[in-house]
Amino acid sequence: MCFQRIMARALPVEVTNGTLEGDIQPGLATVYRLQSTADTKLRAYIAQGEVIPVATRSFGSIGIFGIKNMSRFYRHVLIEKHYPHHCAVMFGHQGKYLWEVLKYMGIPVDEIDYNFPKGNFYPTENPFA
């Protein structure tokens, strides 16, 4: 880990301190997002997967995540429900606990999305495709 080179070249040291650079360690991970819609309804998604042990050879704190059935999840949840591409990460498979926390926050379970296993179709997915 080191300070981010791109920022450190152009900005004073007091601005760049604390920006670390390096690959995220491989292991289990949960990605999620909690957000409000334009009409002020809270909604969320949770997807469990793993950080894959691949050297990124890039800058910033970065990792490559593997999530089963992500292409379908991306198409039928993230794009259709207008989620931005940013998310938060928890290390380990924490979906069980996060699901309960979101319910306690008052989010209806039909507004908590997750990546469906192969064979389970999303409401807008073409079963003949």
Side-chain angles (χ1 to χ4, degrees):
M1 299 292 270
C2 61
F3 292 114
Q4 195 178 58
R5 283 175 257 147
I6 290 176
M7 288 180 68
R9 289 185 200 139
L11 299 169
V13 69
E14 62 271 6
V15 175
T16 61
N17 282 339
T19 303
L20 296 177
E21 182 172 283
D23 290 340
I24 298 172
Q25 285 190 320
L28 300 178
T30 302
V31 296
Y32 67 99
R33 181 165 181 104
L34 169 63
Q35 73 176 34
S36 174
T37 62
D39 57 352
T40 70
K41 293 180 185 171
L42 285 177
R43 77 166 32 145
Y45 70 78
I46 304 167
Q48 295 184 146
E50 64 181 318
V51 179
I52 299 172
V54 174
T56 61
R57 296 182 177 85
S58 187
F59 63 91
S61 295
I62 189 169
I64 298 174
F65 290 75
I67 298 172
K68 288 185 180 184
N69 303 303
M70 187 61 179
S71 60
R72 294 174 50 237
F73 179 72
Y74 192 85
R75 194 170 43 245
H76 295 285
V77 174
L78 302 185
I79 291 175
E80 287 183 11
K81 295 189 175 184
H82 307 286
Y83 282 105
H85 69 276
H86 290 92
C87 68
V89 176
M90 298 170 95
F91 296 104
H93 281 173
Q94 308 300 334
K96 172 182 172 181
Y97 307 107
L98 185 55
W99 179 276
E100 294 299 327
V101 167
L102 294 172
K103 283 184 1 186
Y104 289 137
M105 291 175 62
I107 300 172
V109 292
D110 61 340
E111 291 290 347
I112 305 172
D113 291 298
Y114 57 94
N115 50 328
F116 285 11
K118 188 175 183 175
N120 289 18
F121 296 105
Y122 292 97
T124 58
E125 190 170 11
N126 183 345
F128 301 103

